[in-house]
C-alpha cells in the first residue's frame, strides 16, 4: 500500500531523468508550467476545477527521505550528485490557482506553477493526478446535483472506485459540487459531510421475515430508511403501513427503492403510504442511477425525494478522463510554447478574467497575460510563494463550498442542463495572441 510519505516517488521516470539533465547542465532558471485542457470531454459543458488547494498542501511538505534516495540509487540511472540534490529538495516556487469549484473552459489554466525548472518538472504527474481526479469527479457530481433539481443526492460510490485514495478524496470534490451526503464514513468525517446510509438486502435476507428486520432497524435507528425491494416492494410497504398503524410512535424517515421500474414502484409506494396516513415518509431511489436516469424520473413526475448514486459517480462513467496538459510556458524569462499540430499552447504567465452580467451570470472569459488588466474578475489567485502556503490563501472547506456553489450558479442556464450547449466565449487577449505569434516565429527560425 502506498503511504503519503512516499509521494516524492510518485513520478514518471522521465520527470526525474529530465530533472537530472537540467541539474547536470546547470539549468537553474525559473520556469512556468500551466495546467489546462484543450477540449471539453464529451457530455460536458464545463469542467469544475478541484484539487488545486489540495496539491498545495502536498507540495509544501514534499521531500525525499533516505529510503527514497536509496531506492532510486538501485535503478542505476542517477548520478550521486543528483541524488544529493534530491536529498535537499524542497519546493521553493509559487503556485497560482483558480478557487476550488470554479467552472472552467478550454485553454483556461486551473493552476500555474513557477519554480526552478527541475523542481517544477518533477511535480508534473503528481500535480496532474491530484487535480485530474477531483476535477473529473466534481464535474460528474455537479451534473447529478443539477439533474436532481434540489433533491438530495447521496454518494454511494466507494466500493467501485478505482482505489482507496480516490474513494477518500472524491468526497471532498462531491461536497464542493453540491452533493448532500456520503455513505463513506472516513471521508465524511474528514471532510465534514453528512454521512448517510440505509441497509443492504443481506440484512433483510438474514431474518426469517423482512418485517422483523425492519422492526430491528427502526428500534436501533429512529428515523431510518428501510430498503423495501428485497422481495416485493409494494407488499413490504403495505406491511410497514399496517405495522406503523399498530405502533404509531415508531419513527420511519423513508423507504428506499433499488430495482425495477423505479417510477412505477415509487408511484405505487407513494399511494400506499399516503392512503395509509404516512405522507411524511419519503421515498429514496438508488440502483444504477446517473444524471440521465434521474432527469427522466423527474420528467415522468416520479414521486422520489432523493437519490443514491454509486458506480456512475464513483468512476465518472460517461467521461472518466480529462485531457489535462502540464506545459512549459516560460523559462528564464522567455516565453515557451508547444507548436505541434493540434496541440498548440499559449506561452507566458497567464490570468483569466471573468465578466458577469447584472444577474451574476457569466458573459465571457478572457485568457490574458499575468500582468495584464482586462475587464472582469481575475480568477487565478496566489496560493504559494517561496514554497509556502500564503496565510489565509486556503480558507475553511465550508467557505470553499459556498464559493463553489456561487460559481456554479453563475453559469448560463443552458450550461446547467445535461445536453450539449454553446460554451461561454473564451477570448485570448491581444497581448497573448501577439506573444504566441512571436514565439511561433522564434520556433520557425530555430527549424531553419
Amino acid at each position: 500500500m502506498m503511504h503519503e510519505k512516499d509521494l516524492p516517488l510518485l513520478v514518471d521516470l522521465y520527470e526525474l531523468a529530465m530533472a537530472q539533465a537540467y541539474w547536470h547542465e546547470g539549468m537553474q532558471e525559473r520556469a512556468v508550467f500551466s495546467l489546462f485542457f484543450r477540449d471539453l470531454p464529451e457530455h460536458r459543458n464545463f469542467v469544475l476545477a478541484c484539487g488545486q488547494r489540495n496539491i498545495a498542501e502536498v507540495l509544501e511538505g514534499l521531500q525525499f527521505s533516505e529510503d527514497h534516495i536509496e531506492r532510486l540509487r538501485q535503478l542505476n540511472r542517477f548520478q550521486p550528485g543528483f541524488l544529493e540534490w534530491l536529498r535537499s529538495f524542497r519546493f521553493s516556487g509559487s503556485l497560482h490557482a483558480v478557487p476550488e469549484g470554479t467552472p472552467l473552459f478550454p485553454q483556461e489554466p486551473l493552476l500555474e506553477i513557477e519554480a526552478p525548472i527541475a523542481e517544477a518538472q518533477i511535480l508534473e504527474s503528481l500535480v496532474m493526478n491530484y487535480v485530474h481526479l477531483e476535477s473529473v469527479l466534481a464535474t460528474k457530481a455537479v451534473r447529478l446535483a443539477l439533474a436532481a433539481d434540489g433533491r438530495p443526492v447521496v454518494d454511494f460510490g466507494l466500493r467501485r472506485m478505482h482505489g482507496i485514495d480516490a474513494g477518500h478524496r472524491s468526497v471532498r470534490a462531491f461536497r464542493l459540487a453540491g452533493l448532500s451526503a456520503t455513505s463513506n464514513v472516513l471521508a465524511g468525517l474528514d471532510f465534514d459531510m453528512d454521512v448517510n446510509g440505509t441497509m443492504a438486502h443481506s440484512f433483510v435476507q438474514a431474518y426469517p421475515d423482512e418485517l422483523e428486520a425492519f422492526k430491528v432497524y427502526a428500534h436501533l435507528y429512529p428515523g431510518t430508511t428501510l430498503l423495501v425491494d428485497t422481495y416485493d416492494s409494494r407488499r413490504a410497504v403495505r406491511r410497514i403501513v399496517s405495522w406503523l398503524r399498530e405502533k404509531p410512535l415508531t419513527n420511519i424517515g423513508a423507504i428506499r427503492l433499488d430495482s425495477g421500474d423505479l417510477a412505477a414502484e415509487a408511484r405505487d409506494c407513494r399511494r400506499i403510504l399516503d392512503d395509509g396516513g404516512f405522507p411524511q415518509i419519503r421515498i429514496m431511489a438508488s440502483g444504477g442511477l446517473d444524471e440521465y436516469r434521474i432527469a427522466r424520473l423527474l420528467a415522468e413526475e416520479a414521486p422520489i425525494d432523493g437519490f443514491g448514486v454509486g458506480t456512475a459517480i464513483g468512476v465518472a462513467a460517461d467521461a472518466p478522463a480529462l485531457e489535462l496538459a502540464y506545459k512549459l510556458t516560460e523559462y528564464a524569462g522567455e516565453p515557451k510554447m508547444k507548436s505541434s499540430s493540434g496541440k498548440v499552447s499559449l506561452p507566458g504567465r497567464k490570468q483569466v478574467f471573468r465578466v458577469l452580467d447584472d444577474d451574476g451570470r457569466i458573459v465571457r472569459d478572457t485568457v490574458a497575460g499575468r500582468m495584464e488588466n482586462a475587464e472582469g474578475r481575475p480568477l487565478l489567485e496566489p496560493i504559494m510563494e517561496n514554497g509556502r502556503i500564503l496565510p489565509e490563501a486556503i480558507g475553511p472547506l465550508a467557505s470553499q463550498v459556498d464559493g463553489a456553489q456561487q460559481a456554479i450558479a453563475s453559469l448560463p442556464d443552458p450550461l446547467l442542463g445535461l445536453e450539449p450547449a454553446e460554451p461561454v466565449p473564451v477570448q485570448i487577449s491581444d497581448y497573448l495572441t501577439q506573444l504566441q505569434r512571436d514565439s511561433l516565429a522564434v520556433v520557425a527560425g530555430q527549424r531553419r
Side-chain angles (χ1 to χ4, degrees), residues 10 61 63 78 85-86 113 131 139 207 268 294 301 313 358 363 381 427 447-448:
L10 196 62
Q63 64 184 87
F78 302 111
W85 181 84
L86 286 179
I113 287 178
V131 176
T139 304
Y207 283 80
D268 290 347
I294 289 173
E301 299 184 349
I313 193 172
D358 292 339
V363 175
E381 303 170 346
Q427 303 173 347
R447 290 173 179 166
R448 295 193 184 103

Side-chain angles (χ1 to χ4, degrees), residues 137-138 141 155 161 170-179 193 313-314:
L137 295 181
D155 156 45
M161 285 184 174
S170 63
V171 171
R172 178 178 174 278
F174 295 158
R175 188 177 171 202
L176 285 159
L179 265 60
M193 191 173 189
I313 193 172

Side-chain angles (χ1 to χ4, degrees), residues 307-441:
F307 304 92
V309 182
T311 303
I313 193 172
V315 299
D318 62 327
L322 174 63
E323 289 296 326
L324 281 180
Y326 181 85
K327 295 303 178 186
L328 178 68
T329 62
E330 183 180 301
Y331 178 63
E334 296 293 327
K336 302 292 180 182
M337 62 174 289
K338 185 174 181 178
S339 61
S340 56
S341 178
K343 293 192 174 182
V344 175
S345 58
L346 294 169
R349 308 175 195 190
K350 298 173 195 68
Q351 181 57 273
V352 179
F353 293 91
R354 175 154 289 173
V355 177
L356 306 179
D357 63 18
D358 292 339
D359 295 323
R361 298 297 186 96
I362 303 172
V363 175
R364 66 179 177 277
D365 288 350
T366 300
V367 182
R370 176 80 58 81
M371 304 311 293
E372 284 194 85
N373 289 316
E375 183 184 5
R377 179 174 65 88
L379 297 185
L380 287 157
E381 303 170 346
I383 305 301
M384 301 182 76
E385 286 184 3
N386 300 317
R388 309 303 297 175
I389 296 174
L390 294 169
E392 300 181 0
I394 303 178
L397 182 55
S399 67
Q400 295 179 41
V401 171
D402 290 341
Q405 292 305 300
Q406 292 175 21
I408 294 164
S410 73
L411 287 162
D413 283 339
L415 299 187
L416 297 174
L418 301 183
E419 297 305 316
E422 191 69 26
V424 165
V426 177
Q427 303 173 347
I428 309 300
S429 73
D430 292 342
Y431 166 79
L432 270 189
T433 300
Q434 187 60 51
L435 189 64
Q436 187 182 55
R437 289 196 193 103
D438 294 344
S439 300
L440 284 170

Side-chain angles (χ1 to χ4, degrees), residues 14-58:
Y14 83 143
E15 291 151 17
L16 286 173
M18 285 188 288
Q20 178 169 252
Y22 294 139
W23 166 83
H24 184 269
E25 295 299 309
M27 296 176 65
Q28 302 175 18
E29 299 294 332
R30 293 179 78 80
V32 177
F33 282 82
S34 184
L35 184 69
F36 65 99
F37 54 95
R38 294 187 179 90
D39 299 295
L40 285 167
E42 192 177 3
H43 312 301
R44 299 292 183 266
N45 289 324
F46 59 89
V47 166
L48 201 66
C50 283
Q52 312 91 280
R53 265 58 173 181
N54 219 349
I55 194 61
E57 295 174 351
V58 171

Side-chain angles (χ1 to χ4, degrees), residues 200-258:
H201 294 102
S202 57
F203 187 83
V204 176
Q205 292 170 312
Y207 283 80
D209 181 79
E210 67 176 342
L211 187 59
E212 185 62 27
F214 295 158
K215 290 179 179 179
V216 169
Y217 233 62
H219 176 72
L220 284 172
Y221 311 112
T224 192
T225 298
L226 299 176
L227 181 61
V228 297
D229 73 326
T230 303
Y231 306 115
D232 182 323
S233 59
R234 295 167 180 83
R235 177 177 180 273
V237 174
R238 291 190 189 96
R239 297 186 72 195
I240 289 171
V241 165
S242 297
W243 160 45
L244 294 180
R245 283 174 170 173
E246 295 174 3
K247 301 289 184 179
L249 296 182
T250 303
N251 183 4
I252 304 300
I255 63 168
R256 176 162 70 96
L257 301 167
D258 190 58

